[in-house]
Amino acid sequence: MSELPPDLPRLRTVETFLRLQLAAVQRAIVRQEQQVAIHRRSPLPDVVPDWMLERGIGQGAPPVAVHVGGCHMAGKRTETLERDQAVRALTDGVEACSHCRPDTALGLL
């Protein structure tokens, strides 16, 4: 602000507004600091694999589908694949996810 009002009531109004704004900024800072602290403690990597292999239920279950990394349809039983492994799995008959279409992304179609 370049000019402040000359009278006390309006000065008090500006003061109240600025206090509320400062409190909102301080709350936002605390939230961001908490998010940074959580992120630092997180054991999960931020790296998304290029290709994933989804397996069926049970130990030693056969592969069910190949996915592009980050596909929202991939289940929890996935493992990271290299490009050549993904190509090999698809050519060996493992189904390509119908949502992320890894076969198209790999140039197999």
Side-chain angles (χ1 to χ4, degrees):
M1 295 177 81
S2 60
E3 291 187 34
L4 294 174
D7 57 299
L8 187 58
R10 287 191 288 174
L11 282 171
R12 291 287 185 204
T13 301
V14 170
E15 178 187 33
T16 301
F17 172 77
L18 292 175
R19 285 181 193 266
L20 292 171
Q21 288 299 109
L22 178 59
V25 168
Q26 289 171 332
R27 286 190 304 272
I29 288 171
V30 168
R31 281 192 305 271
Q32 288 299 314
E33 288 173 340
Q34 289 171 342
Q35 289 298 317
V36 167
I38 289 169
H39 181 69
R40 284 186 185 149
R41 289 190 305 255
S42 176
L44 301 175
D46 290 331
V47 178
V48 176
D50 291 332
W51 314 102
M52 299 183 302
L53 180 70
E54 181 178 2
R55 294 198 173 271
I57 297 173
Q59 188 171 7
V64 175
V66 176
H67 297 272
V68 172
C71 175
H72 67 279
M73 294 301 292
K76 294 183 180 185
R77 298 173 308 277
T78 60
E79 56 192 67
T80 301
L81 293 177
E82 297 294 326
R83 185 182 195 288
D84 60 326
Q85 293 172 314
V87 169
R88 191 174 325 116
L90 290 169
T91 57
D92 286 347
V94 177
E95 185 178 329
C97 173
S98 61
H99 292 269
C100 64
R101 300 307 309 179
D103 47 357
T104 303
L106 288 164
L108 298 176
L109 284 182

